[in-house]
Amino acid sequence: MLDLQTNTSNNDNTLQKVRALYGYSQSEISENLKDYDIPLKQNSMRTKQLWNWIFLKGIKEFSDIRNMPKDLLNELSNDYTLKRNSVSTEQRSADGTIKWLLGLSNNGLSTPNEIETVFIPEEKRGTLCVSSQIGCTLNCSFCHTGTQKLIRNLTTEEIVSQLLIAKDRLNDWHGSEPDKLRKITNIVMMGMGEPLYNFEAVKKALLIMTDCDGLALSKRRVTLSTSGIVPFMERVGTEIGVSLAVSLHSAKDDVRDILVPINKKYPLKELIKACENYPKLKNSSKITFEYVMLKDINDSIEDAKDLAKLLRNIPSKINLIPFNPWPGNNYQCSDMEQIKKFSELLNNDGFSCPIRKPRGQDIMAACGQLKSETVRLRKRN
Ligand code: SAH
Ligand code: SF4
């Protein structure tokens, strides 16, 4: 770990007292503006202006807006905020990965309301890994987040806020010139939580992030990862239109029942059918299947053959994820030699099958290592 800053926030925790305007779609903002004394024919212009200032320039105060009447800005700032959630800590990995621990409103409860957001810079892209829930209900046996019980779903504004905070921190706003290692080009909903158990808030947040007039992330570069919540999968394609990743981890029901217990409710037969019917596959896109490599559990050559057979009718990319260890877990990562053999077999069978390079392990920011820091600390004491 290179550095650790504590309480770096210039924000406060009053965020939830008024609604953040960045949690509304353009059409909702237009509706909201009807509450103010604005001539109807100016409504769409004012909506566009607000949208541009919020999502292109990244302003945090209404008073920074220079082309709207002062009175209107005063009224808006009484009813809404543009403040972000607070950043409790920022940690930087030796490999350039940055993890932010964000403090959210806890509505007066004593439970820790914290989430983690991770930025992973690579040569040609910068990926932001975004959380959808505080904790998770699903208890996958190899995942650290799964050991933290669900506290609550995130709101749309809390999901969007993760991207805004990362852009603030990386100086990645329109007009500023971040070096290419500080630019966010991709979003993965692969942080804490199961995004399809928070469908409506996630949907709205992803539509805001991909709105062409604002943050304008390409839908091809936004990926939603699910453990396989079958009833919502089609809706990801039709209503959100982003890329889909499925956390598969085994081609056998008996093994998957243990690794990803939701498999008992939505077994492989149903999951694979939902993948085959995923609407976006008609547009020559692929589904990414994530497969964590666990020594002697799911990493044999037989397992690779079963996987190839299972996915034969689905345009797929298979991401092999070396298991990221965390305290108190007994799984071991497969040997690299075995992972390479596994990947080779699938490559030879015509699948694209890259091995994911673990990132940010030294700051517990890698896949499946996220968990609210205070929960971690409390367990240790
Ligand atoms: N809940 C969603 C998204 C968050 S998990 C899902 O399960 O898909 C993001 C990815 O990290 C999933 O593919 C998950 O299986 C994987 N993962 C979880 N724990 C891991 C660990 N310890 N090592 C490697 N990958 C892990
Ligand atoms: Fe939840 Fe995903 Fe972790 Fe499973 S892998 S416990 S669904 S966050």
Side-chain angles (χ1 to χ4, degrees):
M1 186 193 311
L2 286 186
D3 80 58
L4 171 70
Q5 295 166 274
T6 318
N7 293 323
T8 51
S9 165
N10 55 1
N11 308 310
D12 55 41
N13 273 320
T14 56
L15 178 58
Q16 302 301 322
K17 285 186 190 157
V18 279
R19 299 295 306 271
L21 203 56
Y22 51 73
Y24 292 89
S25 64
Q26 275 203 66
S27 56
E28 286 172 332
I29 291 184
S30 162
E31 263 318 293
N32 296 353
L33 286 183
K34 291 183 182 155
D35 296 342
Y36 302 87
D37 188 20
I38 302 172
L40 203 58
K41 62 177 193 291
Q42 285 186 11
N43 178 291
S44 112
M45 174 186 76
R46 294 292 180 221
T47 303
K48 279 265 171 324
Q49 286 172 325
L50 274 171
W51 195 261
N52 285 343
W53 283 99
I54 298 170
F55 293 116
L56 286 177
K57 303 244 190 276
I59 52 154
K60 297 191 197 110
E61 299 289 345
F62 287 100
S63 55
D64 290 339
I65 297 180
R66 289 195 295 270
N67 54 358
M68 290 174 69
K70 283 245 150 38
D71 289 351
L72 174 60
L73 295 176
N74 276 338
E75 286 182 73
L76 282 170
S77 63
N78 288 333
D79 298 338
Y80 300 99
T81 183
L82 295 173
K83 286 199 170 75
R84 323 308 196 205
N85 294 112
S86 63
V87 181
S88 322
T89 60
E90 173 177 300
Q91 286 173 279
R92 286 171 188 257
S93 157
D95 70 16
T97 300
I98 308 176
K99 181 172 86 172
W100 295 285
L101 181 72
L102 309 181
L104 309 182
S105 145
N106 62 2
N107 302 325
L109 303 171
S110 60
T111 42
N113 276 359
E114 290 168 338
I115 47 157
E116 297 183 319
T117 305
V118 179
F119 175 67
I120 307 144
E122 287 170 282
E123 178 109 19
K124 293 207 173 107
R125 61 178 169 193
T127 303
L128 191 71
C129 179
V130 171
S131 294
S132 57
Q133 298 182 308
I134 310 176
C136 188
T137 47
L138 290 181
N139 303 111
C140 299
S141 53
F142 54 89
C143 173
H144 202 198
T145 310
T147 63
Q148 181 184 350
K149 72 175 190 348
L150 180 75
I151 294 174
R152 67 170 171 84
N153 281 338
L154 299 188
T155 62
T156 297
E157 59 197 62
E158 288 166 339
I159 298 169
V160 174
S161 180
Q162 295 173 62
L163 174 56
L164 304 188
I165 289 169
K167 284 173 84 74
D168 292 342
R169 296 261 155 173
L170 299 167
N171 194 24
D172 180 22
W173 287 110
H174 197 71
S176 54
E177 289 200 354
D179 67 47
K180 70 177 187 337
L181 289 179
R182 296 174 73 84
K183 226 179 151 32
I184 297 168
T185 57
N186 292 57
I187 300 279
V188 290
M189 291 302 302
M190 290 188 190
M192 293 162 64
E194 168 49 58
L196 295 190
Y197 275 158
N198 187 13
F199 185 82
E200 293 301 336
V202 166
K203 170 182 159 182
K204 203 163 140 192
L206 294 185
L207 292 178
I208 291 172
M209 291 176 186
T210 53
D211 184 299
C212 309
D213 296 331
L215 294 161
L217 280 145
S218 150
K219 288 193 178 184
R220 296 176 71 94
R221 289 173 171 268
V222 175
T223 302
L224 184 150
S225 174
T226 179
S227 56
I229 312 302
V230 168
F232 285 97
M233 284 169 53
E234 188 183 349
R235 294 182 63 191
V236 176
T238 52
E239 296 178 32
I240 317 180
V242 295
S243 304
L244 183 70
V246 173
S247 298
L248 193 60
H249 308 314
S250 175
K252 292 195 283 227
D253 274 317
D254 56 344
V255 178
R256 196 164 189 270
D257 279 350
I258 294 167
L259 298 179
V260 188
I262 195 68
N263 191 67
K264 292 180 198 147
K265 191 162 181 193
Y266 306 116
L268 283 170
K269 199 164 164 228
E270 287 180 35
L271 179 60
I272 293 303
K273 198 162 139 219
C275 291
E276 286 170 353
N277 294 334
Y278 188 61
K280 294 229 338 153
L281 290 185
K282 292 182 195 103
N283 311 332
S284 77
S285 53
K286 291 181 176 181
I287 293 183
T288 300
F289 289 94
E290 289 153 286
Y291 197 99
V292 64
M293 296 302 290
L294 300 166
K295 192 180 170 81
D296 300 331
I297 305 281
N298 64 355
D299 65 347
S300 71
I301 292 304
E302 272 312 300
D303 289 318
K305 287 182 185 162
D306 287 345
L307 186 57
K309 212 162 127 199
L310 187 73
L311 302 183
R312 66 185 179 277
N313 293 327
I314 305 172
S316 338
K317 172 182 170 192
I318 303 167
N319 262 341
L320 299 184
I321 317 176
F323 169 65
N324 293 308
W326 41 273
N329 189 279
N330 292 329
Y331 288 118
Q332 280 181 297
C333 182
S334 311
D335 300 330
M336 196 33 89
E337 209 175 302
Q338 186 63 17
I339 301 181
K340 283 186 184 151
K341 273 194 209 152
F342 199 97
S343 156
E344 237 171 67
L345 187 142
L346 289 158
N347 276 324
N348 291 340
D349 225 340
F351 290 93
S352 154
C353 186
I355 301 168
R356 195 185 287 166
K357 202 167 143 212
R359 298 292 303 263
Q361 274 190 339
D362 53 345
I363 54 167
M364 289 288 284
C367 283
Q369 291 186 313
L370 305 182
K371 181 167 178 172
S372 301
E373 187 73 21
T374 42
V375 177
R376 240 181 340 243
L377 293 176
R378 207 180 298 151
K379 281 253 159 71
R380 217 179 286 160
N381 293 333

